[in-house]
Amino acid sequence: MFQTFKLAYRNLGRNKSRTLLSALAVGVGMALLLLMVSVLEGEMSGALTNTIRLQSGHLQIRPASYDESKISMKWEDLIEDPDQVAEKIKALPQVTAATPRLSASAILTLSDESKGVQILGIEPDSPANQPFRDGLLSGEFIKADDRDGVMIGNILAEKLNLKVGEKVNLLVTTSNGDVNEQLFTIRGIFTTRTPGYDETTIFMPLAKAQAITTTENHASLIFVILNNMDDTEAVAQALKSNTYRILTWREQNQFIVQFEDYANAFFVILYLIVLGITATVVTNTLVMAVFERTREIGILAAIGMKGRDIMAQFLTEAALIATGGVIGGLLIGGALVAYFTINGIYIGDYGITGVLFEDRIYAHLTLQNTLNLAAVTYIITLIASLYPARLAARLEPVEALHGLGE
Amino acid sequence: MEVTKVTNATRVFKIGEVETNALRGVDLSVENGEFTALVGPSGSGKTTLLQLIGLLDQPTTGNVAINGQDATGLNRNQRADLRKNAIGFVFQFFALIPTLTAYENVEMPLLLNSTKPADRKARVNQMLEAVGLQERAHHRPDQLSGGQQQRVAVARALATNPKLILADEPTANLDTENGKQVMDIMQRLNKETGVTFVFATHDPRVIGYANRVVTLQDGLITKDSKSNGKS
């Protein structure tokens, strides 16, 4: 065994540049795949994290009549006494935050233009609003007792050229179908780094939102954040009731989960293409080696080396190339992934309905993905060497030695 | 005791539609301890006969036996096993593995034979000493002269203590002095150990060493004569 490795190592050293190029092909292929898989992972987990913290929460408590396809402001489609419900939920040990929110459609009008927006009535002091607090760009965060203050997203502010302190007019549908109108002052401009969200969302204190929509003491939902998202099902089970619908993050983000499955399937094809190309390089290298060393193979066969031992010799050489390639791939890929984990890739407004992508994708590489990819690269390189190894093993000694005699 | 026996062997090579009869019914029996030269002009079939005896090739018809064991019908692995244990080879070109040192080249058949490390080391050193190359043990083939390389090949052929050594034009690429050295060593080992040598050659200086000369022409043995050989 040791002899086989020794001989393989020396054989690879005969043509160092060719060996290096072959290992590099394996390494570059693997590095690209590491980058792709980490970007996909980062994109998906980023979109999911973003959607959970901004939109779905780990759990949402909705009224039993909730229909996700429409925003209804009717009292029967809202949660009554939401503070009381939220307090009960907060009492559960797994819960970090539970806060009522009221969402309503509105039209923002200026003197010369108007725009459809989404009003979100929030309890400003709830820890669930920390992402918005962190994203405050200018002005101040709204206060619970503010009666005419709102916060708008930075994209909306840029598009309508609005600044802190300026006034905007909002037309809001009320619970009985009428329209209420009021002039609000922009207290602050925020960003969630999610262009789709920042262009359409306006925050106002929950009490004010309830007042303008005439939905007193009602909320659209209770937004729940847990200490650990793995507890979602358990908490959902604990909160189960006939009065409310309990929606988990998984139910609310079916699209992302399905998209991830689809993307994974697509990436498998991409892996096969990239690794197929690197495998061709390895096959080519070893086939050349077999032709160059035909006479030696004949000598080894003549002194009694069996076909399987000759095959093992070439497989060992492939294993060494694969080892070098995988190590190179981890180094090159690791460096690329590290760069994009820190700096991200700017994608701008990549809007898909129901999914909140940030404007940057940050690579995220898991140990599982790294190990899987290393193993797949290794195995495919070995499979690629089967043909040349068999070619060598099947050479008839007399043919391999051809040219040694008359 | 017959080390090898070839019975009515033919070998037909077919290239496209053209058939070439390299051997056309050869009978040859080589006894233990012989120092036999197969001679004849190019294309006479001596290398083909050597390859059949060495189980590197199989006869189209006829049989080849090694140490009384008929090799007809043996598969590749069985032939490899028989070669490994019973036959040593010396080729015209100094057929050493270029990435291995002289020591490692001689060691290779012993590794294939699963010889114990201590025995292996002793045997390799013994064989390198026998061919006068102990001091060159850790040189690679490209650091050795042609004559030295061929002596390593002889040491390798003898490493597993086979009964039969086949040498194909062993001096063809050596100058007179080196050719003589190699032949002297082979003859000495033949006399000291009783190992049987069969070599193909058309070098008259080499033929002089043989105690039996088998002449081939057009795939047939035309003459088989015994002498005392050069002493």
Side-chain angles (χ1 to χ4, degrees):
Chain A
M1 190 69 181
F2 174 71
Q3 293 294 329
T4 309
F5 266 100
K6 187 166 77 176
L7 198 55
Y9 178 75
R10 290 190 192 168
N11 282 333
L12 290 174
R14 287 180 183 192
N15 196 330
K16 288 190 183 69
S17 49
R18 190 172 67 194
T19 302
L20 272 175
L21 281 174
S22 302
L24 194 65
V26 175
V28 168
M30 185 180 155
L32 286 175
L33 291 178
L34 272 178
L35 183 63
M36 284 196 287
V37 77
S38 64
V39 166
L40 175 74
E41 183 73 31
E43 184 183 15
M44 286 299 126
S45 63
L48 192 59
T49 305
N50 214 30
T51 308
I52 285 173
R53 74 192 180 103
L54 300 180
Q55 194 161 282
S56 72
H58 290 124
L59 285 166
Q60 278 189 11
I61 317 301
R62 294 275 190 171
S65 61
Y66 171 62
D67 178 354
E68 62 189 17
S69 63
K70 60 179 184 183
I71 295 178
S72 170
M73 302 310 290
K74 290 178 187 165
W75 283 23
E76 62 264 33
D77 293 331
L78 300 173
I79 294 171
E80 195 175 358
D81 287 331
D83 291 336
Q84 215 178 330
V85 180
E87 284 309 315
K88 278 186 189 163
I89 296 168
K90 272 190 227 172
L92 293 172
Q94 301 98 322
V95 175
T96 305
T99 180
R101 286 182 178 174
L102 180 74
S103 57
S105 298
I107 295 172
L108 183 153
T109 59
L110 296 170
S111 56
D112 53 351
E113 59 185 316
S114 61
K115 185 164 175 51
V117 291
Q118 181 91 15
I119 286 177
L120 198 62
I122 58 171
E123 286 186 325
D125 298 331
S126 169
N129 297 322
Q130 196 55 41
F132 310 130
R133 211 172 270 283
D134 293 340
L136 188 67
L137 294 174
S138 59
E140 58 182 24
F141 208 79
I142 46 170
K143 293 186 173 61
D145 58 356
D146 196 338
R147 308 310 291 168
D148 65 349
V150 292
M151 286 172 66
I152 65 170
N154 64 328
I155 306 282
L156 183 64
E158 278 165 27
K159 289 204 167 168
L160 299 177
N161 198 22
L162 294 169
K163 291 183 180 60
V164 172
E166 290 183 349
K167 293 193 183 303
V168 290
N169 193 46
L170 287 173
L171 281 88
V172 186
T173 311
T174 65
S175 60
N176 57 19
D178 294 339
V179 173
N180 256 345
E181 182 177 7
Q182 190 183 323
L183 206 58
F184 287 89
T185 304
I186 298 170
R187 304 281 186 224
I189 293 173
F190 68 89
T191 179
T192 60
R193 296 183 178 281
T194 310
Y197 198 87
D198 295 344
E199 188 178 349
T200 56
T201 310
I202 293 184
F203 296 138
M204 66 173 65
L206 178 63
K208 180 63 199 175
Q210 286 169 333
I212 197 171
T213 55
T214 65
T215 56
E216 301 149 34
N217 200 29
H218 284 74
S220 308
L221 62 119
I222 311 291
F223 182 89
V224 183
I225 294 289
L226 304 177
N227 301 321
N228 184 345
M229 73 191 286
D230 295 338
D231 292 334
T232 306
E233 296 302 327
V235 176
Q237 203 60 33
L239 295 175
K240 209 170 175 185
S241 86
N242 292 330
T243 324
Y244 305 114
R245 274 185 68 188
I246 316 293
L247 298 172
T248 64
W249 61 266
R250 195 181 295 278
E251 289 169 292
Q252 296 178 77
N253 296 301
Q254 280 293 324
F255 180 79
I256 298 179
V257 176
Q258 282 170 5
F259 184 76
E260 192 169 3
D261 287 345
Y262 168 79
N264 281 336
F266 174 74
F267 267 70
V268 167
I269 296 169
L270 214 56
Y271 291 168
L272 292 179
I273 292 171
V274 173
L275 290 177
I277 293 167
T278 61
T280 308
V281 174
V282 173
T283 305
N284 200 31
T285 299
L286 289 175
V287 166
M288 278 198 281
V290 170
F291 286 129
E292 283 170 6
R293 282 157 41 200
T294 298
R295 183 185 288 175
E296 279 171 52
I297 295 164
I299 295 164
L300 290 170
I303 63 174
M305 191 180 262
K306 289 181 184 165
R308 63 164 184 260
D309 299 324
I310 293 170
M311 194 161 170
Q313 187 64 54
F314 278 88
L315 288 177
T316 307
E317 289 176 30
L320 288 177
I321 291 175
T323 305
V326 166
I327 291 170
L330 287 173
L331 290 175
I332 301 167
L336 286 171
V337 170
Y339 178 83
F340 288 110
T341 301
I342 295 164
N343 298 303
I345 304 165
Y346 182 74
I347 57 163
D349 181 5
Y350 181 32
I352 297 180
T353 309
V355 185
L356 297 176
F357 285 107
E358 287 195 38
D359 57 359
R360 276 181 185 276
I361 298 174
Y362 292 90
H364 176 66
L365 188 59
T366 62
L367 181 65
Q368 185 66 44
N369 279 338
T370 310
L371 293 178
N372 285 348
L373 206 51
V376 168
T377 306
Y378 204 87
I379 290 165
I380 287 197
T381 308
L382 285 186
I383 291 172
S385 67
L386 279 177
Y387 168 69
R390 277 175 65 86
L391 188 71
R394 294 169 78 92
L395 279 173
E396 283 294 337
V398 72
E399 287 167 12
L401 289 163
H402 188 71
L404 287 178
E406 71 186 76
Chain B
M1 164 94 188
E2 283 167 346
V3 177
T4 181
K5 186 175 183 185
V6 179
T7 311
N8 198 22
T10 66
R11 183 67 175 100
V12 181
F13 293 107
K14 196 170 179 184
I15 302 168
E17 294 297 310
V18 182
E19 285 190 350
T20 308
N21 292 297
L23 292 177
R24 297 190 292 170
V26 170
D27 291 293
L28 178 69
S29 174
V30 179
E31 295 290 323
N32 198 16
E34 279 188 19
F35 202 70
T36 300
L38 302 178
V39 302
S42 287
S44 60
K46 52 188 189 297
T47 293
T48 305
L49 180 56
L50 214 58
Q51 286 169 345
L52 292 188
I53 296 171
L55 310 182
L56 296 173
D57 195 10
Q58 290 176 289
T60 308
T61 61
N63 299 315
V64 176
I66 302 293
N67 296 331
Q69 183 185 348
D70 188 359
T72 313
L74 295 184
N75 65 28
R76 286 167 64 103
N77 283 343
Q78 288 166 329
R79 278 187 281 136
D81 275 336
L82 200 49
R83 277 200 301 274
K84 185 167 68 183
N85 295 314
I87 308 169
F89 291 92
V90 178
F91 296 103
Q92 178 180 352
F93 294 93
F94 329 118
L96 302 178
I97 305 299
T99 48
L100 300 181
T101 62
Y103 183 98
E104 290 164 337
N105 265 288
V106 178
E107 190 184 26
M108 183 56 86
L110 296 165
L111 286 166
L112 295 174
N113 234 357
S114 305
T115 307
K116 287 178 186 162
D119 297 344
R120 210 161 66 209
K121 189 176 178 188
R123 183 66 180 162
V124 174
N125 285 328
Q126 184 192 351
M127 291 322 303
L128 284 172
E129 194 183 348
V131 296
L133 283 174
Q134 226 177 0
E135 286 175 8
R136 294 266 169 184
H138 300 292
H139 287 68
R140 293 201 182 172
D142 60 1
Q143 297 165 322
L144 299 172
S145 71
Q148 288 170 333
Q149 287 185 54
Q150 198 61 309
R151 280 149 61 193
V152 174
V154 171
R156 183 182 64 190
L158 283 153
T160 56
N161 213 7
K163 286 194 169 170
L164 176 64
I165 305 290
L166 301 173
D168 191 8
E169 307 274 9
T171 59
N173 286 290
L174 299 176
D175 59 28
T176 307
E177 183 52 36
N178 278 308
K180 184 176 178 303
Q181 261 187 16
V182 168
M183 288 311 298
D184 285 345
I185 287 169
M186 294 208 299
Q187 192 184 46
R188 176 166 53 79
L189 290 169
N190 167 253
K191 284 182 177 163
E192 284 174 7
T193 64
V195 63
T196 310
F197 276 85
V198 178
F199 48 93
T201 185
H202 48 237
D203 183 344
R205 293 165 302 178
V206 174
I207 296 166
Y209 282 86
N211 51 29
R212 181 180 175 191
V213 177
V214 178
T215 308
L216 283 107
Q217 192 158 1
D218 299 329
L220 287 169
I221 292 176
T222 54
K223 194 176 169 191
D224 190 346
S225 58
K226 293 193 177 178
S227 70
N228 291 330
K230 194 187 280 184
S231 54

